[in-house]
Amino acid sequence: MLLGKIRVSQVCFMLTLALFFATSLIIFNQIYLTSKMVVDEEFHFPLGISYCNFNFLVWDPKVTTLPGLYLVSALLMGPLKLCTPYWMRFVSLLFSLFNVILFHKLFRKNERNEWRNILSSITLALLPPLYFFSNFYYTDVVSLTMILLMMVANEKKRHYSASTFGLLAVICRQTNIVWVGLVAVRYVLAELFTFTKLKQHERGIPAKDVYTFLRRLVKRPLRVLENSNVQFWLDTLAYSVTLGLFVLFLKINGSIVVGDKTAHQATIHIPQLFYFSIFCLIFAWPHFVGEILNFIAFAKTHKLLISIATIVCLVIVFTNTLVHPYMLADNRHYIFYVWNRFYGKFVLFKYAMIPVYIFAWYVIIKSIYSRHDISFVTFYLICVSAVLASQKLIEIRYFFIPYILFRLRIKTNTNSVFNIVLEFVTYVVINCITLNLFFTKIITWSRYEDPQRLIW
């Protein structure tokens, strides 16, 4: 009977994948007929096509990322001689389909019910901004695939593969080094924890054992390492090679950005964390609504903490709200309208949002926290801060990986199926609206002959 259920669920998943691909292909073709090039594709297409034709000696100084996307295009489409803008975009569509499979594998860690797993996987693949960019030749979808492959390999304790996929992720987008660091540090600490003999079978660091673990590690590091094995050192070396190669790249390049360095300089922009919390609140709203009363109760019990958090947020918003020139100049992105009609138009709006930020972060932290493993929430917060708070430009695409890591950690049960359904319906509705705007709204730019379109 159990075997029958497994087979039925597997067939259902395959049918879901087929439906996802068939529907996406129809949308993909309609998008291509509507617009042959959007925004940054004018930089990506020439390089992708050149690499696809195995010409690796060309480069555009306006491109900020390493050539991972173009190398993948060369590998997939080069041998088939499919080196046209259509097939370059098709690379993203293929990887978006592959991402559904990877979501399915990763959800299994927290989701034992196969049917909820399938629903959650297809829903996350439909995340509106991510799904939208699966139709264009951008780095986001391929970059995400490499991160997911790294995480799957890490879960299966295949650390050589995990470090290799981590390196590929960095070649797609340099900031992915932060997520490689997250996986590497958590692996090393988890292994060191087992070497302390505190708990033999834990795959994380329980909150109640953190102090004892750190004390033993600091006071008697050699004794802890005496319990290590050769495999630990080989696995650690694999991650270290990837991290070391990135440090070498930084030394040679002089910056994390490859090209257009003047427009993409690292800076301190803490409000990015606030904007990310709103992104999470909007796209995971069914999982947030049920926490409203809990947050109110928490705020009443911890008045001092909430007061301090509010004051800190007020100071940050007042002193550190930055506006990148690109955001004010490019009316082809939704963030242009959000900023100009709300944040930039009403002086008090950015302050009025502070209670929302605090609530959103309360739910995010509560969702990813586990007393059985304190390492994830700790290093997740550090990594998210490193990735986002160093960017001046508010770009929705920067939120993809942090959001997906957060969403993968949300535990579901029978009562929360309704939340997943609501999430699915929300994504479908938003995708329909944004696609309709893309097809119907024309934006005229004097420097382009073809009409421009509204994108995320």
Side-chain angles (χ1 to χ4, degrees):
M1 187 67 179
L2 178 60
L3 183 61
K5 288 183 179 180
I6 293 174
R7 288 174 176 171
V8 169
S9 65
Q10 288 175 339
V11 171
C12 180
F13 182 57
M14 295 304 295
L15 290 174
T16 301
L17 279 177
L19 180 60
F20 175 84
F21 181 72
T23 305
S24 297
L25 183 60
I26 294 171
I27 294 171
F28 176 85
N29 287 328
Q30 187 58 43
I31 285 177
Y32 185 76
L33 292 174
T34 302
S35 179
K36 301 295 192 297
M37 184 183 71
V38 300
V39 194
D40 288 350
E41 281 185 327
E42 69 173 292
F43 308 113
H44 294 311
F45 275 148
L47 290 176
I49 292 171
S50 295
Y51 277 63
C52 183
N53 287 307
F54 306 112
N55 178 10
F56 305 115
L57 300 179
V58 297
W59 192 252
D60 187 333
K62 296 291 288 182
V63 173
T64 61
T65 55
L66 290 167
L69 174 64
Y70 317 133
L71 292 171
V72 169
S73 303
L75 180 65
L76 294 179
M77 300 304 176
L80 301 175
K81 304 297 182 183
L82 300 176
C83 303
T84 65
Y86 178 90
W87 293 106
M88 294 300 97
R89 283 184 175 179
F90 195 77
V91 170
S92 294
L93 184 63
L94 281 179
F95 276 81
S96 71
L97 180 67
F98 189 39
N99 285 345
V100 181
I101 300 172
L102 296 175
F103 289 147
H104 184 258
K105 290 182 177 295
L106 289 168
F107 268 119
R108 282 179 175 171
K109 182 178 180 181
N110 294 321
E111 179 54 80
R112 299 301 180 188
N113 184 287
E114 186 64 13
W115 300 105
R116 289 200 297 268
N117 188 354
I118 293 172
L119 180 58
S120 293
S121 301
I122 202 69
T123 298
L124 191 53
L126 290 172
L127 176 68
L130 175 64
Y131 185 73
F132 188 86
F133 281 105
S134 67
N135 297 284
F136 300 99
Y137 196 53
Y138 275 62
T139 60
D140 304 280
V141 178
V142 175
S143 168
L144 173 61
T145 301
M146 298 306 167
I147 291 295
L148 296 176
L149 283 169
M150 176 183 68
M151 292 173 61
V152 170
N154 175 262
E155 289 290 332
K156 294 181 178 295
K157 298 184 179 182
R158 297 173 182 172
H159 299 290
Y160 301 155
S161 298
S163 61
T164 301
F165 287 126
L167 179 61
L168 293 174
V170 174
I171 296 174
C172 289
R173 178 169 289 173
Q174 297 90 294
T175 53
N176 284 338
I177 192 64
V178 170
W179 310 116
V180 179
L182 171 68
V183 169
V185 170
R186 290 190 68 224
Y187 164 72
V188 171
L189 288 178
E191 291 299 299
L192 289 175
F193 180 76
T194 62
F195 300 154
T196 62
K197 304 295 185 179
L198 286 171
K199 292 278 176 53
Q200 286 293 325
H201 303 293
E202 293 284 354
R203 288 202 62 188
I205 304 174
K208 64 183 179 64
D209 294 322
V210 170
Y211 175 75
T212 305
F213 166 60
L214 293 177
R215 186 179 63 183
R216 291 188 183 183
L217 192 61
V218 171
K219 287 189 173 183
R220 295 176 291 181
L222 294 180
R223 183 172 296 182
V224 172
L225 292 176
E226 283 176 359
N227 299 317
S228 65
N229 51 53
V230 174
Q231 191 60 54
F232 165 73
W233 291 107
L234 291 175
D235 293 338
T236 302
L237 178 62
Y239 287 117
S240 299
V241 168
T242 297
L243 296 171
L245 287 173
F246 180 76
V247 172
L248 180 63
F249 159 75
L250 282 182
K251 184 175 179 60
I252 295 173
N253 188 58
S255 170
I256 193 172
V257 177
V258 177
D260 200 15
K261 295 179 181 179
T262 56
H264 294 85
Q265 295 179 341
T267 186
I268 297 176
H269 191 193
I270 301 175
Q272 287 273 27
L273 300 175
F274 301 154
Y275 310 142
F276 170 66
S277 70
I278 295 301
F279 182 93
C280 293
L281 177 59
I282 291 172
F283 291 108
W285 73 266
H287 305 284
F288 281 72
V289 170
E291 293 292 337
I292 293 176
L293 294 179
N294 291 332
F295 174 71
I296 293 173
F298 177 85
K300 288 180 178 178
T301 308
H302 301 83
K303 293 184 178 67
L304 180 60
L305 177 62
I306 296 298
S307 298
I308 293 173
T310 302
I311 293 171
V312 171
C313 290
L314 283 168
V315 173
I316 291 172
V317 170
F318 180 74
T319 61
N320 196 224
T321 297
L322 306 178
V323 183
H324 196 288
Y326 283 5
M327 193 172 67
L328 297 178
D330 199 335
N331 63 345
R332 296 170 296 180
H333 295 280
Y334 285 107
I335 194 65
F336 170 89
Y337 300 96
V338 172
W339 192 269
N340 284 284
R341 294 182 181 181
F342 297 99
Y343 283 89
K345 186 175 182 180
F346 304 106
V347 177
L348 296 179
F349 183 83
K350 58 185 178 181
Y351 299 105
M353 289 295 293
I354 288 175
V356 183
Y357 300 148
I358 295 173
F359 165 69
W361 269 111
Y362 164 83
V363 178
I364 293 169
I365 293 173
K366 184 177 179 179
S367 299
I368 64 177
Y369 173 81
S370 171
R371 60 186 177 86
H372 300 295
D373 180 17
I374 197 70
S375 66
F376 181 83
V377 65
T378 302
F379 291 101
Y380 175 83
L381 295 176
I382 293 172
C383 291
V384 170
S385 299
V387 168
L388 299 182
S390 60
Q391 307 274 0
K392 183 177 182 180
L393 178 63
I394 303 173
E395 172 61 76
I396 294 294
R397 295 180 295 127
Y398 299 161
F399 299 155
F400 288 170
I401 293 175
Y403 175 81
I404 287 167
L405 293 181
F406 153 69
R407 181 60 187 84
L408 286 168
R409 301 285 293 196
I410 295 178
K411 293 181 175 62
T412 58
N413 51 47
T414 305
N415 296 328
S416 62
V417 172
F418 185 60
N419 289 342
I420 305 174
V421 172
L422 283 176
E423 195 176 29
F424 175 82
V425 172
T426 300
Y427 288 5
V428 171
V429 171
I430 293 177
N431 280 325
C432 289
I433 293 172
T434 53
L435 287 170
N436 181 64
L437 287 171
F438 179 84
F439 294 138
T440 59
K441 184 177 177 58
I442 293 176
I443 301 172
T444 303
W445 274 42
S446 58
R447 58 176 289 201
Y448 297 106
E449 292 183 5
D450 295 329
Q452 299 300 293
R453 301 286 170 168
L454 184 61
I455 70 173
W456 282 97

